[in-house]
DNA sequence: CCTCGTGGTGAAAAGGATTTCACACCGGTA
DNA sequence: TACCGGTGTGAAATCCTTTTCACCACGAGG
């Protein structure tokens, strides 16, 4: 029922020492054991909990790190968040999650909050490559790590996925399974993730055609990384005079839309090949016949957090970029198109 | 490239006024228009951003609210989070998300952070009914709203789902579809959500049997609200001498496990009836033949946030509990068991 | 002409912890 | 005995903003 807050002064008075000593007890300063004990007892008796705001103000740094992600409803990012959390868990830092919703305005507001709250560090999966401005943070020497997507011209550490390689492996797998007309539904133009995955796809096609690099975009569609976008793009592809017999989809949510469009048209895998970049959430359980490029989402988060912690310790000075490899998770038992 | 932080004093000096006036300009105090303008110009020129930590210290209250959820990877909670965010969006408050991971220790730490950071309010879906202690918060008059689950003996506003009604409707639907041996896989014993849903299920069964209330627990299983738990429970049920011909599953993730176990056993809906409490994420798209009790997850979040805002404005004094109704989302075209 | 009220302003205190600085004390060495 | 190094301690400054309070100036009313 104690409603007033207990300060370090109250504890000091109760223990018969100065506030400075109380502070030292809680921060590992040198204090005689006997005194330290009596301080701890007094603190416990009074139910003292340090005021983190005052502490942050004085230290010019709080003990919270921000993780800013563009879509909290995408399991890829929640898994990434788990990685960050688990890594931070081992320190005294707390992680707070901010959902920018792919909206650069919301993102900017959260970046302002991070700055204004003097957060100890920021991990950000940028909503935009061009508009996301990390300048204010880096100017004030707040440690920042970009994850999954690197904002253009930002001098920050980054943890990325090998999108090109993943795209290449994916399309190669479809080719090897016997598909011929392989489409690609990728993300928004201008997003590094979209472009790199598409580039990998094209590279695999080129290699298969033996160098006759006819850049043919008939089967290429740009969508928005969301369910609806994937569905619309797939419908378009199906409406072509000669529809593709397989499709490489550049993210998990769009794949859901694609599967939906295929069901509508009564064409389901493996009659038509579907390869998703990123695990389709839970589909692996409900419908196990889907091959996907597995993304190290958890490790992405873990690594980003580790990098941030390093940076906060003032360790490395040069900017680091870590690239994690994708892995092809083959799940089809009956791979390949219907032989004609 | 400015690395030093600009304070209210710098702005004051630049504008030729006192720091107090600058503060008033930013907080809607009375200032002559001309002065206000010059302050704003000076602030813009210097790139002044208020130090939120100092502000919080002085005001004894920050401008962020915490949302503590037990499982960030469960779409139910991410959707709820969206609701909270959208409601907070319209104010100047920011939402930070904390994932307690169904772990009361982690949760306690986050509650301490919320208190120590002097957050303006807390919305919590408690990890435990008994161990979650909101006392420290309420003692300090921090507005708290419980959502989805109400911690026992906590004097706080709450926004809940009508679990009993939902469970009843669900089981009644299965009965009406012609199933006879209806099992129930619910959550952990002691959790209000588990118990209430089970109670609803039993009520429906009792009503069907015309009052001959033989409380038979052969077909009742308690699991842990997770995929694996659902799978294990379903396997157990399938191994019974006389397996059930339908099952009411008390949450979305367990349903995924259940579907998995059914696939293993080569028994799929609608041969065996499956009714999920809570939408199975994306399954509605991939596999549309699944009826579920639809939970108002988004509205839960929205309402909780609205309640919190009310409480912060010092509006209502008596503790409020809002109960939202579930809705049966029928999606089966070919409902009912195979007629024998 | 004097008084009262009011609206705008600045000086200064307050908010709670950390950290610097100076000092007191103790044991040991020259 | 005098001096020195080291260690633990407390007083006070500091972090930046909000808010109280006193004050001034100005306009209106008696």
């Amino acid at each position: 029922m104690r409603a007033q807050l207990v300060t370090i002064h109250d504890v000091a008075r109760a223990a018969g020492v100065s506030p400075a000593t109380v502070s030292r007890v809680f921060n590992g300063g040198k204090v005689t054991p006997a005194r330290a004990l009596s301080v701890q007892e007094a603190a416990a008796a009074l139910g003292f909990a340090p005021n983190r705001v005052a502490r942050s103000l004085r230290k010019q740094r709080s003990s919270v790190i921000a993780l800013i992600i563009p879509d909290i409803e995408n399991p890829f990012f929640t898994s990434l968040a788990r990685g960050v959390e688990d890594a931070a868990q081992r320190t005294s830092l707390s992680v707070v999650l901010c959902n920018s919703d792919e909206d650069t305005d919301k993102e900017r507001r959260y970046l302002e909050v991070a700055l204004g709250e003097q957060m100890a560090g920021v991990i950000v999966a940028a909503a935009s490559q061009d508009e996301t401005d990390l300048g204010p943070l880096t100017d004030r020497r707040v440690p920042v790590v970009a994850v999954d997507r690197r904002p253009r011209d930002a001098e920050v550490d980054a943890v990325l996925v090998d999108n090109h390689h993943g795209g290449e492996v994916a399309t190669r797998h479809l080719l090897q399974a016997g598909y011929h007309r392989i489409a690609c539904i990728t993300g928004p133009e201008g997003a590094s993730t979209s472009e790199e995955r598409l580039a990998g796809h094209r590279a695999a096609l080129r290699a298969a055609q033996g160098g006759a690099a006819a850049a043919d975009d008939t089967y290429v569609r740009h969508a928005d990384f969301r369910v609806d976008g994937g569905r619309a793009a797939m419908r378009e592809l199906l409406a072509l005079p000669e529809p593709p017999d397989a499709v490489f989809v550049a993210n998990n949510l769009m794949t859901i839309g694609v599967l939906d469009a295929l069901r509508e048209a009564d064409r389901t895998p493996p009659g038509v090949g579907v390869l998703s970049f990123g695990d389709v959430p839970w589909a692996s359980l409900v419908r196990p016949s889907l091959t996907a490029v597995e993304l190290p989402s958890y490790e992405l988060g873990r690594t980003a957090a580790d990098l941030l912690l390093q940076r906060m310790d003032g360790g490395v000075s040069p900017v680091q970029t870590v690239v994690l490899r994708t892995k092809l998770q083959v799940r089809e038992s009956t791979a390949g198109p219907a032989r004609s």
Side-chain angles (χ1 to χ4, degrees), chain A:
Chain A
M1 284 309 146
R2 165 184 20 86
Q4 282 314 316
L5 68 184
V6 183
T7 77
I8 209 175
H9 283 90
D10 303 322
V11 177
R13 192 161 356 98
V17 299
S18 79
T21 300
V22 178
S23 171
R24 282 189 268 259
V25 169
F26 282 92
N27 294 291
K30 301 257 68 175
V31 180
T32 0
R35 240 182 259 255
L37 187 63
S38 76
V39 167
Q40 274 159 354
E41 281 170 354
L46 273 63
F48 169 73
N51 182 323
R52 301 169 67 107
V53 177
R55 158 192 279 250
S56 297
L57 176 60
R58 176 60 230 235
K59 305 231 305 192
Q60 299 283 73
R61 161 144 314 182
S62 87
S63 54
V64 179
I65 67 181
L67 169 60
I68 305 179
I69 59 177
D71 185 1
I72 197 186
E73 298 195 87
N74 185 336
F76 169 73
F77 289 113
T78 57
S79 167
L80 189 155
R82 291 293 306 266
V84 171
E85 266 199 345
D86 288 356
Q89 198 66 19
R90 291 177 315 232
T91 72
S92 60
L93 292 135
S94 315
V95 179
V96 301
L97 200 60
C98 311
N99 179 32
S100 71
D101 211 11
E102 300 276 15
D103 175 341
T104 51
D105 276 344
K106 263 174 119 170
E107 184 179 69
R108 191 166 31 69
R109 257 200 306 280
Y110 278 123
L111 289 170
E112 274 166 19
V113 172
L115 189 62
E117 296 278 357
Q118 304 193 150
M119 295 201 176
V122 176
I123 299 176
V124 56
S128 150
Q129 238 187 118
D130 299 315
E131 293 178 52
T132 297
D133 183 12
L134 302 178
L137 272 314
T138 52
D139 285 354
R140 293 270 289 271
R141 315 217 183 285
V142 177
V144 177
V145 174
V147 67
D148 186 49
R149 315 160 172 197
R150 188 218 309 266
R152 219 187 294 285
D153 13 275
E155 288 288 314
V156 298
D157 293 326
V159 184
L160 306 172
V161 167
D162 191 346
N163 291 304
H164 188 283
H165 173 255
E168 200 172 349
V169 165
T171 298
R172 197 187 305 145
H173 178 79
L174 287 171
L175 285 165
Q176 283 168 354
Y179 297 103
H180 294 100
R181 299 185 309 281
I182 304 177
C184 175
I185 299 178
T186 189
E189 287 187 81
S192 66
T193 45
S194 304
E195 302 294 7
E196 291 167 17
R197 289 165 200 178
L198 176 58
H201 164 78
R202 283 185 172 139
L205 288 185
R206 258 201 312 278
Q209 291 168 349
D216 183 1
D217 280 359
T218 319
Y219 290 146
V220 171
R221 288 293 178 282
H222 286 271
D224 62 356
F225 278 146
R226 298 181 191 217
V227 175
D228 291 344
R231 186 183 353 217
M234 191 68 226
R235 281 187 187 144
E236 262 186 61
L237 289 170
L238 287 171
L240 287 175
E242 191 178 41
D245 63 353
V247 58
F248 164 55
V249 193
N251 98 328
N252 53 357
L253 297 187
M254 289 197 302
T255 301
I256 291 173
V258 164
L259 291 172
D260 194 33
L262 286 174
R263 198 177 41 75
E264 261 179 22
D266 252 327
R267 307 196 50 189
T268 52
V272 51
V274 175
L275 214 159
S276 171
F277 197 96
D279 250 342
V280 177
W282 292 292
S284 52
L285 295 169
V286 182
R287 164 197 282 276
S289 63
L290 196 69
T291 292
V293 176
E294 204 170 64
L295 298 183
S297 49
Y298 182 86
E299 290 75 17
L300 228 40
R302 271 270 305 257
T303 311
D306 287 340
L307 222 54
L308 189 71
L309 294 174
Q310 263 183 52
R311 182 67 64 183
M312 284 169 50
D313 289 346
V316 253
S317 36
V319 170
Q320 282 187 38
T321 299
V322 178
V323 176
L324 301 181
R325 269 277 159 118
T326 58
K327 204 175 93 193
L328 193 69
Q329 182 73 36
V330 180
R331 285 226 187 77
E332 297 174 76
S333 42
T334 57
R339 305 289 171 187
S340 52

